[in-house]
């Protein structure tokens, strides 16, 4: 069951930060922590899972960090939410056999429909969409300020 958690918010912010600020160079986790205020201990856990899920790619070395593993238009909020949901290993109340017929045959199916609709909506929103919103909100990309157009 999807729930809005700090981990999910941090994961979304981190992936969008990488997409928005990354450019050609990998983004170091300390840069994300500085820009987004995400605690380092949360960030590293989430980043490793996002690498494992092939949403991010880890780059080793002194100039290493993270970059998107796919084009930002091919990564959805739903993709990220599924990774975080798997990390949070909370018991799914929908799977609990306890409950009445009313709960099993009426309430839970409605709740499952709502969850399915939410995931479908999240699957329709890409990281590129969120980067576009950032631009529309006037949030500057550090990648753009690092570009050198001199010849």
């Amino acid at each position: 069951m999807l729930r809005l958690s700090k981990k999910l918010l941090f994961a979304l912010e981190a992936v969008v930060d990488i997409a928005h600020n990354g450019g050609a160079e990998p983004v170091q986790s300390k840069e994300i922590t500085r820009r987004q205020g995400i605690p380092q201990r949360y960030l590293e856990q989430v980043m490793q899972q996002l690498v494992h899920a092939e949403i991010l790619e880890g780059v080793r070395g002194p100039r290493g960090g993270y970059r998107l593993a796919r084009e930002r238009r091919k990564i959805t909020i739903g993709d990220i939410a599924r990774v975080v949901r798997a990390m949070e290993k909370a018991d799914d109340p929908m799977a609990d056999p306890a409950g009445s017929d009313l709960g099993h045959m009426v309430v839970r199916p409605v709740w499952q429909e709502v969850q399915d609709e939410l995931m479908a909506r999240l699957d329709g929103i890409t990281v590129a969409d969120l980067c576009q919103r950032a631009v529309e909100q006037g949030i500057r990309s550090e990648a753009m300020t690092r570009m050198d157009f001199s010849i």
Side-chain angles (χ1 to χ4, degrees), residues 1-123:
M1 179 180 304
L2 181 66
R3 67 183 190 87
L4 186 59
S5 64
K6 281 185 179 182
K7 250 183 209 169
L8 178 54
L9 286 173
F10 292 159
L12 292 168
E13 290 175 19
V15 172
V16 174
D17 183 283
I18 291 167
H20 188 64
N21 292 301
E25 296 294 318
V27 177
Q28 296 183 340
S29 59
K30 66 183 177 186
E31 294 173 20
I32 299 168
T33 297
R34 176 181 55 80
R35 282 189 294 261
Q36 305 306 326
I38 301 171
Q40 191 75 25
R41 63 188 173 94
Y42 277 111
L43 187 60
E44 286 301 328
Q45 289 175 357
V46 169
M47 300 301 261
Q48 290 304 315
Q49 292 302 314
L50 292 168
V51 167
H52 184 71
E54 298 180 348
I55 290 171
L56 297 179
E57 178 180 276
V59 179
R60 295 183 186 266
R63 306 251 346 166
Y66 298 95
R67 67 173 136 229
L68 299 180
R70 305 187 297 252
E71 294 174 55
R72 58 190 193 173
R73 66 185 174 88
K74 293 185 177 180
I75 301 171
T76 70
I77 304 306
D79 295 333
I80 299 165
R82 285 181 190 87
V83 170
V84 174
R85 181 172 51 189
M87 288 176 66
E88 292 182 330
K89 298 183 185 171
D91 291 336
D92 183 358
M94 300 285 279
D96 188 347
S100 67
D101 287 344
L102 185 65
H104 283 283
M105 292 186 271
V106 178
V107 176
R108 291 181 192 196
V110 167
W111 191 254
Q112 187 61 54
E113 289 171 22
V114 170
Q115 288 287 308
D116 294 344
E117 289 171 14
L118 175 60
M119 287 308 298
R121 175 80 171 104
L122 295 178
D123 284 336

